[in-house]
Amino acid sequence: MSRRLSCLLATIALLALTPVRWSVATGAGLILALTSLGTISPVTAAPSDPAAPVAQDRVIDVPAQRIFSKVIDPDDFECEPTAIDDYVGAQIDSWTLAELLFVIPHQDVLFGVPTYAALFFGTAGDPAYALGSHAAQLRNTFRDVKKFWSGSEEVQSDDIQLMAMHGDVLLDADVVEATLLLMQEYELLSPPLDTASPAQIRAEAMAVATFLQQNVAGGRALYDDPLWTLNAYAFSGEDETDPFLQSLPDKMVFGDGFLDFMEAIGLGDAGPRVVMGHEFAHHIQFELGLFESDLEGPEATRRTELMADAYAAYYGVHKRGLALNAKRVADALFAFYVVGDCSFDSDGHHGTPNQRERAAEWGAELAMASHPNSAILDAREFAELFDSILPMIVAPDAA
Ligand SMILES: [Zn+2]
């Protein structure tokens, strides 16, 4: 079990809050091959026979919900507060007591539904999931990053749909209900919703939509709180065995809350573009089968996340990429994604800050060393180079 999971559970027990499910523990068939900005956590199901092959089950990690718990009870977490904690804290401070008391028992819906509605139902052509804030920036960067890696023939990116997730899906009881039913089916809900009857799910959807509709006043509205959409993720159904999940298009989803947060910390320009580079790297990993490795659990996640950072830094700094300076790229990567881990020990899911920094630096230096400077490495060659230096990146800091 990861330390992140254990520290989350400790807080949950204390507050009697309910966490998102971190792993989908059942069935060989069920793998949500998702990854997000550090926020998708490949979780290894605990095997009863250690020698048995271990399937990696991935669910979308919802960082805002974890940080919500952390902000509510900072003593229970080991990591230092960062910009995202301050941001989440400020949002919580802006709620009335009635709102806070509403949020706590309805967390799974508020933090989960916008994310999973976009996953299950979102399409690029649907106005409900259309890009709003930063639309031109995201569209342009999406086009550019696809072009940047287009020399790598193995990377098929034409079928990826770029879309947003918005909090206003929470106002629609039908969408909330449909999303919750699927979340329940895929074991993404915590008690009591995990075993709720269809009628109870309907009642929960109605309760949330009704409360949020009634509290639209004075220029701020709880349904639109950035916390519900403080995420960005990449999805590919390619490796799914479940027919429904398999049928979902490849997608890249950016939440309004994530864009808001980037603005709030002064990274509105570089942040979303670098994060696009990181998310696109996960698509490269899907396409090239790079999630397969000899590593398991947290170490496997750490490898793919550090590799995505390296890809993003390479794209971010490369003259034919974003051509940003390395510092700007690193800031953007760390601001959001380093906070994913509440424990920075060597088993941490996403690597320690120093490991993250080394991965990003390595990618940046590789870009700067391009000769001629228009040369772009093949995506698989990049991954092989990365794997060859991974031991140095994750070496203890004292070494
Ligand atoms: Zn990631």
Side-chain angles (χ1 to χ4, degrees):
M1 178 179 290
S2 71
R3 298 222 25 211
R4 186 168 78 189
L5 181 56
S6 46
C7 63
L8 178 76
L9 291 178
T11 294
I12 296 309
L14 201 69
L15 294 174
L17 300 179
T18 52
V20 286
R21 289 294 293 264
W22 295 93
S23 63
V24 179
T26 54
L30 182 58
I31 296 176
L32 280 173
L34 291 159
T35 178
S36 86
L37 197 58
T39 62
I40 282 212
S41 51
V43 177
T44 305
S48 49
D49 171 6
V54 177
Q56 279 203 350
D57 292 335
R58 300 188 190 99
V59 295
I60 303 177
D61 176 13
V62 179
Q65 189 168 14
R66 182 174 59 256
I67 296 162
F68 173 74
S69 303
K70 178 180 165 183
V71 169
I72 299 271
D73 183 24
D75 291 347
D76 211 59
F77 288 83
E78 292 172 11
C79 35
E80 294 295 312
T82 66
I84 201 167
D85 299 289
D86 295 343
Y87 178 80
V88 171
Q91 288 308 129
I92 295 171
D93 282 348
S94 77
W95 299 342
T96 64
L97 180 61
E99 287 173 333
L100 178 62
L101 293 176
F102 170 79
V103 169
I104 290 173
H106 298 289
Q107 276 185 73
D108 271 11
V109 182
L110 296 166
F111 287 101
V113 165
T115 297
Y116 285 104
L119 173 68
F120 296 141
F121 308 121
T123 59
D126 184 340
Y129 302 94
L131 296 172
S133 154
H134 292 249
Q137 175 201 42
L138 290 170
R139 262 195 297 270
N140 291 340
T141 311
F142 185 50
R143 182 198 61 213
D144 292 346
V145 73
K146 285 194 288 192
K147 195 168 156 220
F148 183 82
W149 292 110
S150 63
S152 304
E153 285 169 13
E154 288 177 281
V155 181
Q156 293 301 316
S157 57
D158 291 347
D159 54 349
I160 304 172
Q161 299 194 18
L162 173 65
M163 66 192 75
M165 55 171 150
H166 306 297
D168 62 4
V169 295
L170 292 164
L171 296 172
D172 186 333
D174 292 341
V175 174
V176 174
E177 179 186 15
T179 307
L180 286 176
L181 287 169
L182 283 167
M183 288 175 72
Q184 188 184 53
E185 186 179 335
Y186 293 114
E187 303 194 10
L188 300 165
L189 292 171
S190 44
L193 285 176
D194 58 341
T195 55
S197 68
Q200 288 167 324
I201 292 281
R202 176 71 192 163
E204 172 68 7
M206 289 295 292
V208 169
T210 305
F211 182 91
L212 294 175
Q213 285 162 12
Q214 286 167 352
N215 286 268
V216 178
R220 58 174 291 279
L222 191 61
Y223 79 83
D224 203 26
D225 195 285
L227 261 55
W228 319 142
T229 54
L230 183 44
N231 210 351
Y233 65 85
F235 170 83
S236 169
E238 200 162 330
D239 296 335
E240 302 298 340
T241 49
D242 177 90
F244 172 67
L245 297 175
Q246 210 172 44
S247 75
L248 298 174
D250 285 4
K251 50 182 76 173
M252 208 174 274
V253 182
F254 284 79
D256 289 338
F258 162 72
L259 297 164
D260 237 63
F261 168 62
M262 284 285 156
E263 292 275 349
I265 60 170
L267 286 169
D269 177 46
R273 295 189 292 154
V274 172
V275 167
M276 176 78 78
H278 177 103
E279 295 306 325
F280 193 85
H282 286 313
H283 267 292
I284 293 174
Q285 293 170 328
F286 287 130
E287 295 282 329
L288 270 51
L290 295 171
F291 285 104
E292 303 297 321
S293 77
D294 296 337
L295 303 174
E296 289 178 2
E299 288 190 352
T301 310
R302 184 177 67 185
R303 167 179 166 268
T304 48
E305 290 303 331
L306 291 173
M307 189 196 293
D309 275 350
Y311 271 112
Y314 183 78
Y315 169 67
V317 169
H318 199 285
K319 286 284 170 254
R320 284 172 64 195
L322 297 172
L324 295 165
N325 74 47
K327 168 83 167 62
R328 202 69 181 148
V329 170
D331 285 351
L333 285 173
F334 299 159
F336 182 56
Y337 161 42
V338 76
V339 301
D341 255 308
C342 73
S343 171
F344 294 142
D345 69 4
S346 60
D347 289 319
H349 266 88
H350 303 99
T352 67
N354 284 340
Q355 291 165 356
R356 308 283 315 276
E357 200 174 344
R358 284 197 287 263
E361 263 173 21
W362 177 82
E365 281 167 14
L366 201 57
M368 289 185 281
S370 303
H371 188 75
N373 65 13
S374 60
I376 297 170
L377 280 169
D378 175 76
R380 185 176 290 283
E381 194 183 338
F382 184 97
E384 285 167 1
L385 284 172
F386 176 85
D387 277 330
S388 72
I389 55 89
L390 180 61
M392 282 179 285
I393 287 179
V394 300
D397 296 333

